[in-house]
Amino acid sequence: MSERPHPDPPTTAGNFAEATARIEQARKDNATALLLYGLGLTELPESITQLSQLQGLYLDNNQLTTLPESISQLSQLQGLYLNGNQLTTLPESISQLTRLQRLDVDNNQLTTLPESISQLSQLQRLYLTGNQLTTLPESISQLAQLQGLYLDANQLTTLPESLRNLEQLERLYLHGNSALGLPAEVLGPTWEEYQATPAKPAGILEYYFRTRGERRPLNEAKLILVGRGEVGKTSLVNRLVHRKFRVEKKTEGIKITEWTLKVGRKKEEVRLNVWDFGGQEIMHATHQFFLTERSLYLLVLNGRAGGEDEDADYWLKLIQSFGGESPVIIVLNKIKDHPFDVNRSALERKYPFIRGFVKTDCKANLGIAELHRLVLDETDALEHLRDAFPAAWFSIKDRLAGMKENYLSFKQYQNECAKLGEADEKAQELLAGYLNSLGIALNYREDPRLRDTHVLNPHWLTGGIYKILNADKLQLQRGEICLGDLGGILDKKKYPAEMYPFILELMKKFELCFSLPDEESRYLVPELLDKQEPTAAREFNPEECLNFEYHYPVLPEGWLPRFIVRTHVLSDHTPRWRTGVVLKLEDNLALVRADVQDRKIFVNIKGPVASRRRLLSIIRENFDHMHADIPKLQPAEIVPLPGQPGEHVTYDELLAWEQDRTRKFKKVVAGSVVELDVQEL
């Protein structure tokens, strides 16, 4: 459930008299909650102090500029909601609301907090998003029960060190306070990404106070090349970085190249970590783990196979989903052999993060100079390129980036840190997480399945996984693999046998495979299942089923195989194929299948009507977790109408009718008004 369950209420016409009437009614009813949101109030009626039993006061979306000191008389108050007003200060008397557990003052005009706020000893959630705070009082550390502190989109210039004393703090959001100099990798997900695991407050604060000392700009970023196989990504890297052309075999996995540039008028030295992704479809499923924000993207297309506009749209949607608003340069490659273009104005209108189009041909050395200039300009403009980095950490970062070893145990990593001057264990863990985000050294220390955590060379890891995924033996065995099979697939010098379980556990973490029942050393990779849909799929008649659909703007490669991995315990004895699966729960069966071309996933559930929704809720929960990994994917959730091909209602609409206790509602279908039953749908 979202950490922000109280939505902005609708603004309604209202006035002071209406508020007074509601207060009087609440007094008569001895009410514990009072709803006064959206009334346009500029002040509160004094009579509100008579509500001695009030526990929840909702004053959102009014026009309050101050609160009366007498608010302190609401001594039983546990929740005070003031989001969307015009408050510039909070009264000192608020300190007397000693039972207050939640205080929401989002989207006001607060410039300071009173020192007395420290006396709210029971406060658990403090929402201050979208104000004008520049500092916080030292006394905030006395809020011993505080679990969530929301300070994003303010104007904070410093943080009090006393924040580190908030031992119960689980969520700290400081996004949008640029003067603090906190990188996105340290801040972690925003509160709007409520299903994502938030960054640990202790780590955020450790980084902040560590960088208050000697620091240097990081001057490092990722340049990520994406596109289908054989469009010439590796040749572009050779031209840009090494200034030469050579025919390369196809990239297996990810090739990472360091590229030192001098950018801007001052010719500042910057290091780009160039990530060249293999373009084969089976590899797309793992892209999501490495496509990140704070990167510059080159989308490489060619006109050999046609469909370049559709290709551009596919990759731009993926970049938008994984990389946020990261800038993209579209490269129209191999232009001499296959002249082509794309609908530039339409793409720019749809994807405003496009920074330019360049026609290139690596063999003929066409357009490379123009592309080089664009890369320099866009690198110089990257928002977080010059984030502060503790000076003592540079030597550790460079040691790990340049090490010959492909992996270290975490203990070995700690020893390396200590040798180079960083002996503090908290700082070592924080640095490991930061390097993981930058893609310099991957580590999965917090995953309980990976007992002896390692710091890994990204190329070693992805190269091994792709070798496995592309192995002939795995293809012949329809995705089944045993631990012992890896010896015949992987280079024994690079990948010793003791690392096999670790690699397969990482593949499980990436939701690329799962252990088969009753034998932990056997695994199944759904991406390599048989493509043929079994006859069992034809036994689901939509007219007799509970039906549900997801309509995606773009359906990532390997999406249904990921779902099969997540739900494999429900399909141990039912059919699985590459684009579908049958799940079983109690006496219900569910057919879940993907139509990759139409970018849709269909769910049909049959069995006892009373328990169908339980199975649907499990299916939806698993897809929700997958969607949380790609916050901007946002598929439409659809309920098709029985007997009406192509007609549907949205799931949200049905939920609204159900919550309104409406059994039936009318809808225009094929030009006629029909009555629909909420429960039947």
Side-chain angles (χ1 to χ4, degrees), residues 202-226:
I204 296 172
L205 296 173
E206 176 72 24
Y207 181 91
Y208 173 77
F209 289 109
R210 191 163 288 270
T211 55
R212 295 311 93 188
E214 186 186 356
R215 54 183 175 168
R216 288 159 46 193
L218 180 59
N219 280 10
E220 189 163 329
K222 284 169 77 173
L223 173 65
I224 300 177
L225 286 85
V226 294

Side-chain angles (χ1 to χ4, degrees), residues 236 239-240 259 298 329-336 357-375:
L236 275 171
R239 274 294 188 192
L240 287 169
W259 185 16
L298 297 189
I329 300 169
I330 296 181
V331 183
L332 311 176
N333 198 30
K334 300 187 179 181
I335 202 71
K336 194 171 181 182
F357 299 81
V358 184
K359 290 186 175 183
T360 59
D361 192 287
C362 295
K363 188 175 181 180
N365 200 19
L366 295 175
I368 303 301
E370 183 185 353
L371 178 58
H372 187 278
R373 179 186 57 75
L374 256 180
V375 169

Side-chain angles (χ1 to χ4, degrees), residues 643-654:
Q644 302 285 347
E647 298 288 346
H648 63 262
V649 293
T650 66
Y651 186 67
D652 285 345
E653 182 180 352
L654 283 181

